[in-house]
Amino acid sequence: MYREAASGIPGVLVWTATRTADSAGTSVLPDGCTDLIWHEDGLLVAGPDTRAQFSDLGTRRDLTAVRFGPGVGPVVLGVDAAELRDARVPLDHIRPGAHVRRLVSDAESDPVGALLRETRRRLDGVDRSVETGIAAQLGAGASVAEVAGSAGWSVRRLHRHALRAYGYGPKTLARVLRFRRAVGLARTGRPFADVAAECGFSDQAHLAREIRALSGTTLGALLG
């Protein structure tokens, strides 16, 4: 069973998943986020995805994790998001072994507390307003040129920054965030044509193509 909860830290969510014997795995949809996942064998980082990824990790283990919103993960993990794109990497591959062992030891008795303490420590005093603002503008439908101009940057500089902060360029980030918004609206029961119009797709057929490209299936199947 999968559950989400607020963490008390802006841009960070806690989630847990309890293993179920009859589960065959799940499709993880792209959302621009990075996850730090604890289970009985250690700590795993799930990077920002450009397409749906199949995962059966939760069929074998109970999982506890923190999900970092776009731009947050690199600050906590100390690595550019582009290095984690579409990847699943043990934490000790990107962080010092001694540090990871201490975190694993703490997580054995209190996984949520250990992960949140580490997150707060890494984010303390860090100004994330630029990354938050860029993601918010792109998610609201602003063009790449408009976002770059609002930051006083060139489009090229925005692209380089986006790769480090989000794992992909601003156009891909905008595409993923629009996909995420469309799926969320559809899950509220909105007609697909209304979802397409509100999210800025040219028509319902355009929405359908994007859903299939990013998820590998149809919007109706996702909702089912």
Side-chain angles (χ1 to χ4, degrees), residues 31-197:
D31 57 7
C33 298
T34 303
D35 296 65
L36 177 58
I37 306 168
W38 179 86
H39 54 74
E40 61 192 27
D41 295 326
L43 286 157
L44 179 73
V45 175
D49 295 325
T50 59
R51 59 187 182 278
Q53 301 265 8
F54 175 77
S55 174
D56 63 356
L57 188 64
T59 67
R60 306 187 304 274
R61 306 169 177 88
D62 294 337
L63 310 177
T64 299
V66 284
R67 175 166 297 144
F68 308 118
V72 180
V75 180
V76 178
L77 300 171
V79 63
D80 286 356
E83 297 184 30
L84 303 171
R85 183 174 56 237
D86 291 322
R88 305 294 183 262
V89 182
L91 183 62
D92 58 11
H93 285 196
I94 59 176
R95 299 291 295 160
H99 170 79
V100 174
R101 287 192 292 273
R102 286 194 299 270
L103 184 55
V104 168
S105 178
D106 290 345
E108 287 176 350
S109 59
D110 180 15
V112 172
L115 295 179
L116 290 182
R117 285 191 294 273
E118 173 71 2
T119 299
R120 289 190 179 94
R121 185 183 69 83
R122 298 285 296 182
L123 293 178
D124 184 42
V126 177
D127 182 3
R128 293 179 284 129
S129 58
V130 171
E131 288 73 25
T132 300
I134 289 171
Q137 290 178 76
L138 291 171
S143 71
V144 172
E146 289 171 339
V147 175
S150 71
W153 294 352
S154 67
V155 169
R156 181 173 294 181
R157 180 179 175 185
L158 174 62
H159 184 82
R160 291 197 301 267
H161 184 84
L163 287 176
R164 293 192 299 270
Y166 311 112
Y168 22 65
K171 288 185 178 179
T172 301
L173 176 61
R175 187 183 179 202
V176 168
L177 293 177
R178 183 169 65 170
F179 162 84
R180 179 180 176 181
R181 184 182 176 207
V183 173
L185 283 175
R187 283 176 171 157
T188 68
R190 296 281 293 278
F192 292 175
D194 291 352
V195 171

